[in-house]
Amino acid sequence: MHWHSLILLTYLFATHVNCDTPADCRYEDIQGRWLFSITNTGHKQGVDCSKIGPVNIRYVIDLNYPDLAVDQFGNAGHWTLIYNQGFEVTVAGRKYFAFSKYKTDGENVTSLCGETLMGWTHNVIGQNWGCYSAQKTKPIAPRSHSHPLLTLPRHFSQENLNFDSALVDAINRAQTSWKAGPNVLKTKSLNDLVTLAGGRKSMLLHKPKPAPASLKVQKLAAALPAAWDWRSVDGINYVSPVRNQGGCGSCYAFASMGMLESRLRILTNNTLQAILSPQDIVECSKYSQGCDGGFPYLIAGKYAEDFGAVPEVCNPYKGMDDDCTTKRNCPVRYFATEYKYVGGYYGGCNEEFMMLQLVKNGPMAVGFEVYPDFMHYHGGVYHHVKSSDDVVPKSLRKFYPFELTNHAVLLVGYGVDTPSGEKFWIVKNSWSTSWGENGFFRIRRGTDECGIESTSLESFPVL
């Protein structure tokens, strides 16, 4: 078996913790001084932190703006939120990852953002593992909110879907940037649509706004080509084919594998055109929730660095949850390293950074919020058409139960529309080639449309 080289990072969670939690912890909650309570280290990878031993070390770390971590001895490192779920710290040669603490009572959630669940720590080369929990030295008030996974209406009925043509007309009357048409997904239930748009466990209660670009970054971005498309760079296509996730909320796996596929093509001058297995992620990754969703940071980043991605032939896509059936004798795994958010930390992203990293390093997994009108996209430069009186008739609004969700897709290029002059991103979806522009879509650039410029992921294959 051929294993590519890698540096192992933190095994992400204790056995009793779900990966994508209902916690809603924000930057201002996490920033500040923390006391880390660490058990004995020296364990092997995957130590069971649900069977935690006594605390051996107490260690203070300050998490400063925007991503500076400083320990009690003056050692400097860095930290980042991981969405609104938890945070990761690297300082003094060690990495620490834990999810934020929360409690649930039916659909009611209390986020205890000044504490963590049990997490994992090891050194920067993936050895000497231990467990820890952390608590803010100054307590913060708990935040109460509804569980986003339990408050969604379960289904459209077929009667609910009869407004399709009226909605299309309303969208097309309201704007000329993009063309709405019959919803090719209209036979699906609301639950199916939520699954297509990332899954219930990928939902976020908030997203950061893009960070302002420095003058230096603005100048570098201004020097880039006016348009870029990894599907045709000097006549060569570095983007793997559009696929269909079906009725499984595996968009995060398709976006993550698509990113690694493209970057492997770029790294090898298109001589290695691997198709990687999203099913391996759905079945085998403990960093996500299978068909209920996940996040690219934990897949194209952590999972790819810790365990590697396997070719499609080692676990063909089934579009359903199952026990891990990846072939044990799979001949190759492709690893990645140096994963990070574009801009260096969660909330540090912006249009200019995205353009620079896209051109320099290749396609990137991004997330954005899906609205009902997006399901009707047939072409053009998409922007969300709000359901106001002059767009959607009041009689149709009762058929708008679809909630905002986090959908993962692959950014492959950018350009400017003619003759309107509207800037756009080019994005690969995973809803088959029958949707949108042969499986791709364009979306407004420079306005953080649907949150697409808030977070992007970098991850680098290692051969």
Side-chain angles (χ1 to χ4, degrees):
M1 181 177 291
H2 179 46
W3 297 88
H4 295 288
S5 61
L6 77 160
I7 300 174
L8 290 175
L9 295 183
T10 305
Y11 195 80
L12 292 174
F13 57 94
T15 57
H16 63 290
V17 177
N18 285 335
C19 177
D20 305 314
T21 76
D24 179 29
C25 296
R26 308 175 187 189
Y27 188 92
E28 60 269 22
D29 299 325
I30 306 303
Q31 183 183 9
R33 176 164 290 184
W34 289 77
L35 177 64
F36 284 55
S37 299
I38 307 168
T39 66
N40 286 328
T41 55
H43 299 282
K44 294 182 180 180
Q45 180 188 19
V47 56
D48 185 357
C49 288
S50 68
K51 301 175 181 178
I52 192 67
V55 171
N56 187 48
I57 300 171
R58 298 192 185 276
Y59 184 45
V60 174
I61 304 178
D62 288 318
L63 305 183
N64 299 321
Y65 178 83
D67 63 336
L68 175 64
V70 181
D71 71 9
Q72 65 191 54
F73 306 109
N75 298 304
H78 57 86
W79 71 282
T80 182
L81 285 177
I82 298 181
Y83 303 93
N84 59 350
Q85 307 282 292
F87 59 96
E88 186 176 57
V89 182
T90 304
V91 66
R94 293 196 70 84
K95 290 179 176 286
Y96 303 85
F97 172 80
F99 287 102
S100 295
K101 194 172 183 178
Y102 64 93
K103 295 180 180 179
T104 59
D105 180 12
E107 67 179 41
N108 299 314
V109 180
T110 302
S111 293
L112 305 171
C113 299
E115 304 176 59
T116 71
L117 298 171
M118 291 306 304
W120 300 74
T121 178
H122 61 68
N123 63 24
V124 293
I125 59 172
Q127 300 174 348
N128 194 17
W129 290 66
C131 306
Y132 81 99
S133 63
Q135 186 170 20
K136 259 193 160 179
T137 56
K138 292 183 178 180
I140 62 174
R143 176 181 294 114
S144 298
H145 52 90
S146 295
H147 194 314
L149 314 184
L150 300 179
T151 56
L152 288 173
R154 291 291 296 177
H155 292 91
F156 273 126
S157 69
Q158 189 60 47
E159 180 182 357
N160 292 155
L161 293 166
N162 289 336
F163 72 88
D164 183 83
S165 61
L167 177 58
V168 168
D169 291 342
I171 293 170
N172 288 331
R173 282 196 306 268
Q175 50 78 45
T176 59
S177 294
W178 62 281
K179 180 69 173 177
N183 182 3
V184 298
L185 309 170
K186 68 177 293 184
T187 59
K188 296 184 178 294
S189 68
L190 174 60
N191 191 56
D192 293 334
L193 297 180
V194 171
T195 301
L196 275 172
R200 294 171 179 265
K201 295 191 176 181
S202 293
M203 292 183 64
L204 301 182
L205 298 180
H206 80 287
K207 272 178 169 280
K209 294 181 179 179
S214 67
L215 183 61
K216 178 181 178 181
V217 170
Q218 291 179 41
K219 288 181 177 179
L220 290 171
L224 291 172
W228 189 269
D229 188 344
W230 279 106
R231 296 173 299 177
S232 180
V233 177
D234 295 328
I236 299 175
N237 178 18
Y238 294 93
V239 178
S240 53
V242 171
R243 300 184 64 184
N244 187 357
Q245 69 187 75
C248 174
S250 52
C251 62
Y252 67 97
F254 280 90
S256 297
M257 296 302 96
M259 177 177 174
L260 296 178
E261 288 164 356
S262 290
R263 293 196 169 203
L264 283 168
R265 290 183 177 209
I266 293 166
L267 187 63
T268 63
N269 197 26
N270 224 25
T271 59
L272 177 58
Q273 298 188 10
I275 301 298
L276 304 178
S277 171
Q279 190 66 36
D280 174 71
I281 307 302
V282 170
E283 291 181 349
C284 307
S285 171
K286 296 180 180 180
Y287 302 166
S288 56
Q289 293 295 309
C291 284
D292 278 335
F295 297 114
Y297 185 95
L298 299 176
I299 300 304
K302 286 186 176 294
Y303 186 83
E305 184 159 277
D306 286 358
F307 303 107
V310 303
E312 174 76 4
V313 294
C314 292
N315 195 343
Y317 189 64
K318 299 192 291 284
M320 63 180 66
D321 289 314
D322 201 348
D323 295 332
C324 183
T325 59
T326 297
K327 295 177 181 178
R328 293 188 177 184
N329 62 346
C330 186
V332 63
R333 286 180 179 263
Y334 298 99
F335 290 89
T337 191
E338 298 182 25
Y339 64 88
K340 60 185 179 182
Y341 292 113
V342 172
Y345 57 93
Y346 186 69
C349 189
N350 55 49
E351 175 195 5
E352 291 85 355
F353 268 136
M354 289 169 67
M355 292 172 64
L356 288 165
Q357 297 306 316
L358 177 69
V359 173
K360 179 181 178 182
N361 296 315
M364 301 181 297
V366 298
F368 76 107
E369 292 177 343
V370 170
Y371 291 83
D373 60 354
F374 185 70
M375 300 291 178
H376 293 271
Y377 174 84
H378 275 226
V381 180
Y382 172 80
H383 66 277
H384 171 48
V385 179
K386 296 181 180 178
S387 54
S388 58
D389 285 341
D390 59 344
V391 177
V392 179
K394 289 183 179 180
S395 62
L396 301 182
R397 291 191 197 172
K398 62 183 178 181
F399 302 128
Y400 260 77
F402 194 85
E403 298 286 340
L404 304 186
T405 186
N406 189 57
H407 183 42
V409 287
L410 186 68
L411 181 67
V412 302
Y414 63 83
V416 179
D417 186 56
T418 54
S420 70
E422 191 168 33
K423 299 190 302 180
F424 60 79
W425 298 111
I426 306 168
V427 188
K428 177 186 175 185
N429 205 350
S430 51
W431 294 350
S432 85
T433 56
S434 65
W435 179 90
E437 297 180 332
N438 297 316
F440 292 81
F441 66 97
R442 289 174 289 159
I443 186 171
R444 275 184 181 171
R445 171 167 60 96
T447 62
D448 195 33
E449 182 65 42
C450 300
I452 198 166
E453 288 156 15
S454 299
T455 54
S456 298
L457 176 66
E458 284 274 59
S459 184
F460 301 89
V462 179
L463 292 176

